[in-house]
């Protein structure tokens, strides 16, 4: 008689790690915004590529964008994991993060604002990508 042992999955802890990654990214982005805007006086008013009117990026927009983009990334990862292609997600996530840098870096506005926004993209990606990657089969 043979017994088959199913590999243990820790989907609850994996989900908790990913939620923690989203929360940590939102907190880190909030800290960067707080340091840049109220403390250092950076004016986060930029005109997006192809945009006509300048937009001020406030703390609420940063937190909402961080959570929304992270949830979309999680959804894609879940879809890929179900198909046994979870490893591909990392490459997609890094590519999306790198491509997302075009928005702040090519926007019209003060250099310090564009650098701050680019830093926000990198920091959020540097937190979310490893947090989501954890637990994906090698």
């Amino acid at each position: 008689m043979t017994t088959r042992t199913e590999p243990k999955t820790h989907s609850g802890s994996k989900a908790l790690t990913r939620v923690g990654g989203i929360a940590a990214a939102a907190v880190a982005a909030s800290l960067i915004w707080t340091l840049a805007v109220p403390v250092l006086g950076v004016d986060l008013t930029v005109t997006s590529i192809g945009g006509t009117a300048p937009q001020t990026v406030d703390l609420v927009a940063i937190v909402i964008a961080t959570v929304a983009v992270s949830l979309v990334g999680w959804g894609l990862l879940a879809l890929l994991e179900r198909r046994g292609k979870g490893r591909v997600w990392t490459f997609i996530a890094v590519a999306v993060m790198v491509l997302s840098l075009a928005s702040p870096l090519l926007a019209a506005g003060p250099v310090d604002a564009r650098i701050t926004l680019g830093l926000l993209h990198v920091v959020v990606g540097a937190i979310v990508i490893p947090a989501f990657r954890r637990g994906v089969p090698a």
Side-chain angles (χ1 to χ4, degrees), residues 87-116:
R87 290 177 16 160
V88 173
W89 180 85
T90 303
F91 299 106
I92 295 169
V94 170
V96 167
M97 185 195 67
V98 169
L99 290 173
S100 79
L101 291 173
S103 177
L105 298 181
L106 298 177
V111 173
D112 58 352
R114 293 181 299 141
I115 289 171
T116 301

Side-chain angles (χ1 to χ4, degrees), residues 26-27 29-31 33-34 37 44 56-65:
V27 168
S30 298
L31 291 173
W33 182 89
T34 301
V37 177
L44 287 184
T56 301
V57 183
D58 63 7
L59 181 58
V60 173
I62 287 170
V63 171
I64 289 172

